[in-house]
Each structure stands twice: as C-alpha cells, then as structure tokens.
Amino acid sequence: MDAEKRKQKLREMFQRVVDPLGYKFSPDEEIVDFLLEQEVMLEKEHGHPFCPCQGLTGDRELDMKIVCPCIPFHRAHFDAMKRCWCGLYVHKDVEDPYSLVQISRSEFEQMQKEGKV
Amino acid sequence: MMYTLSTCPWCKKSKNFFTERNIPFEFIDYDKASKEEQQKIREVCSAHGESIAFPFVIIGDDVVVGYNPQKYMKLLES
Amino acid sequence: MSEVTWVYALKETELADGEKKALLISGQKIALIKKGNELFAISNKCVHMECPLSKGELENYVIKCPCHDWRFDIRSGEFLDAKELKVPVYELKVSDGNIYLKMEGENK
C-alpha cells in the first residue's frame, strides 16, 4: 500500500476511535498531514504507527501505550492540555490549536496535586 | 542541550526557536541514537519525573518538556 | 427498516472451552468465544485498527487484541481503557446443539 493511501486509511480508522473520546483531528491540516506521514513511516519501520513525539523503549507494555491514538492511556493528562502530546488530536471545541501549550507529565502531576485539574 | 525526535514537528520548532535567535545548542535525536544513548536519555527523563516525551530541552539547571517558547525565553533571560 | 434474523453460526460441539473462532456471518466478521459453559459473540474487528480479536489472548472475560494489546470485556464489548469505545456484541442462542446469532441487517 502506498504511503498516501495508508495515511488516508489511518485517518479513517483513528477518526472512529477519537470521536467518541471527544477529540478531533487538529484544524492545522499541515501538522496533521506531517504527523500522519511520520506515523506511516514509523509503522513501516517498527510495525506500528507510534506517536512521532514520544520515544520507544523496547518494552512492549510501555510502547503499546504510545501507539496512535494513545489518548485512552493518557486521558487525564491530554484532557488537561485539550490536545494529545503530538497535537494530532485536539478537543472538539478547540478552533485554534496554537492557543494550547504542551504540559509535561510532571507539570500535570503537580497540577493534579494542587487540585488545578 | 536538547533531546528530540526526528519525527516530531515540535522538536523541529524548538530547534528553529534557538537557531533563529542564534543561540547555539546541541541536540540528540533519540530515535537516531544508539541503544546506550537512548538508555541514558530515558534515565534523564525519569530522573525529572517525565515520560519519554519530546522535545526535552535543558537550559542551565532547568528542564522544559514540550515546545514552549515563553518558557524558553524566560529561562534564557534569567 | 432493519430486519432481525437468527443466523446459524456453528455447532456447539465445534467450540471447546477457552476456544475462539473467527466466523463470517451475514458479511460480518465475528469472534465466537466459549468460556466454561458460556458463549460470547463479539465483532472480530478491534475498534482500533480492525485486527482480529479471535487471535488474541483470553483471560477471564478479557480479550487482548493481538496487534496492540487493547483489552475488551467479551460480555459487554467495552474497551477497558475507555468505556466510550466498544466492539459490537451479538446476542446468541443455542438450539438443538446449534449456535445462532442475532443479526440485524438493512431490509432493502
């Protein structure tokens, strides 16, 4: 399957996953296209469409939690950012993805402790 | 120092941020690094209570995980 | 109009305890699972990337997708890590040793 077709197929499959979770593809089409292209490459190289912005560890249990869409495994953290880590998906009400900032895991945990999320 | 992924657009933006301001920096693309280097980077991430998420930017004694120009600026100014 | 029909799937004796079978019934990919004396029928397409759940590992009432380890409760079809996601489950009945599935199809 050529890369363009695979990209389209991933888009269709992932849309069905993220929609019930309250997410949509980022309105920034350019970044969506770039990220999906990376995922197709990662899938070709490693067998799975991993998140382009998180690192593989070689430990299956950990690595399976960063296969796109990885929202179910980082739900509270991503909900707090209104986007997933790589920004492929944003909350449905987000119109400007550049209004959102990445919050690291430790910052998120701190926010949780302080009752901010 | 910056730990990045060659596949991550936010890592590219972070690199651009420093390049555009003529601020010299070193970086290692985690996905292109050796197993030993990867292991070392993971240890650094864990030591800061972070997951293996990129970009991981070290400015002085501080760490910023994620593309965050405001934070980079603040740390560079201090 | 949707039409409900009971469609023959398999003989009960063709499925051993703990066994999972991939079937194509009325054009739908189904995983038929026997656990103890209980039978379950769920869609055989993982909600993630459509991998065949029948090839996954079964532990208690949880089946783990062979592709990316997504876990589903075979009783409800629920994905354990996000309840909003579900694989369809099919009602079934056994009559004279034959397993039938309740299939809903469009009546054209």
Side-chain angles (χ1 to χ4, degrees):
Chain A
M1 192 183 271
D2 73 46
E4 209 47 49
K5 272 193 192 148
R6 187 58 185 163
K7 221 154 73 177
Q8 199 48 41
K9 178 72 180 166
L10 291 184
R11 196 188 255 267
E12 284 162 22
M13 287 192 292
F14 295 169
Q15 167 65 26
R16 289 198 290 266
V17 174
V18 303
D19 183 72
L21 303 177
Y23 286 77
K24 64 178 180 184
F25 279 100
S26 170
D28 182 347
E29 263 305 318
E30 207 176 308
I31 214 141
V32 168
D33 193 64
F34 180 83
L35 287 164
L36 284 174
E37 199 165 297
Q38 303 307 307
E39 289 188 8
V40 169
M41 269 168 45
L42 286 161
E43 187 182 41
K44 216 170 163 187
E45 194 177 334
H46 300 283
H48 310 290
F50 289 111
C51 173
C53 295
Q54 296 179 79
L56 289 167
T57 64
D59 175 336
R60 180 171 171 104
E61 204 182 322
L62 293 174
D63 291 345
M64 285 301 116
K65 290 190 165 67
I66 62 163
V67 176
C68 188
C70 67
I71 299 165
F73 308 104
H74 313 269
R75 191 78 178 270
H77 180 185
F78 292 177
D79 280 348
M81 295 191 288
K82 287 181 158 260
R83 56 171 276 180
C84 69
W85 183 254
C86 75
L88 180 56
Y89 310 107
V90 297
H91 271 188
K92 283 180 184 173
D93 62 354
V94 173
E95 279 164 26
D96 174 16
Y98 286 91
S99 64
L100 309 175
V101 283
Q102 284 177 302
I103 301 167
S104 80
R105 192 179 72 183
S106 74
E107 287 172 312
F108 169 67
E109 284 169 356
Q110 189 60 32
M111 285 164 73
Q112 272 184 318
K113 264 189 223 155
E114 291 167 2
K116 286 182 187 163
V117 282
Chain B
M1 187 61 184
M2 205 187 290
Y3 300 130
T4 47
L5 283 171
S6 69
T7 50
C8 169
W10 309 98
C11 296
K12 283 190 180 52
K13 285 181 197 289
S14 296
K15 288 174 187 168
N16 288 344
F17 174 92
F18 288 92
T19 308
E20 281 164 9
R21 285 164 182 78
N22 293 317
I23 303 164
F25 65 95
E26 284 175 63
F27 73 90
I28 299 174
D29 277 335
Y30 176 86
D31 52 330
K32 306 284 180 206
S34 67
K35 292 266 169 255
E36 291 75 26
E37 271 180 311
Q38 289 190 346
Q39 173 69 28
K40 254 205 291 204
I41 293 169
R42 285 202 298 274
E43 282 165 12
V44 175
C45 295
S46 303
H48 285 87
E50 299 293 355
S51 45
I52 318 301
F54 300 97
F56 188 101
V57 182
I58 305 167
I59 301 173
D61 293 331
D62 292 292
V63 161
V64 183
V65 182
Y67 174 62
N68 198 325
Q70 281 91 356
K71 277 196 182 162
Y72 301 158
M73 280 306 263
K74 228 185 194 167
L75 288 172
L76 289 168
E77 281 163 10
S78 64
Chain C
M1 272 285 286
S2 80
E3 189 185 292
V4 174
T5 43
W6 287 93
V7 182
Y8 169 78
L10 207 69
K11 281 195 191 326
E12 212 187 353
T13 50
E14 289 179 286
L15 204 61
D17 183 15
E19 200 181 350
K20 301 149 286 178
K21 269 211 160 80
L23 301 170
L24 188 67
I25 297 171
S26 305
Q28 305 289 314
K29 288 181 177 171
I30 311 274
L32 198 59
I33 302 158
K34 189 169 189 180
K35 184 177 157 41
N37 291 320
E38 294 175 282
L39 288 164
F40 301 92
I42 60 172
S43 162
N44 201 21
K45 288 199 295 189
C46 180
V47 295
H48 180 210
M49 294 182 70
E50 303 177 356
C51 290
L53 294 172
S54 59
K55 290 193 176 152
E57 277 172 41
L58 181 68
E59 202 182 318
N60 295 318
Y61 290 102
V62 174
I63 197 151
K64 191 158 91 175
C65 179
C67 286
H68 305 109
D69 300 351
W70 283 33
R71 297 168 305 151
F72 299 88
D73 189 314
I74 57 170
R75 295 166 294 188
S76 61
E78 263 177 17
F79 173 44
L80 298 196
D81 291 289
K83 304 252 179 275
E84 297 92 331
L85 295 173
K86 268 181 192 182
V87 286
V89 290
Y90 297 87
E91 232 180 279
L92 45 75
K93 68 177 180 187
V94 180
S95 174
D96 292 332
N98 296 322
I99 304 168
Y100 295 88
L101 295 193
K102 191 177 179 181
M103 304 300 293
E104 282 177 42
E106 288 300 308
N107 187 9
K108 284 174 190 165

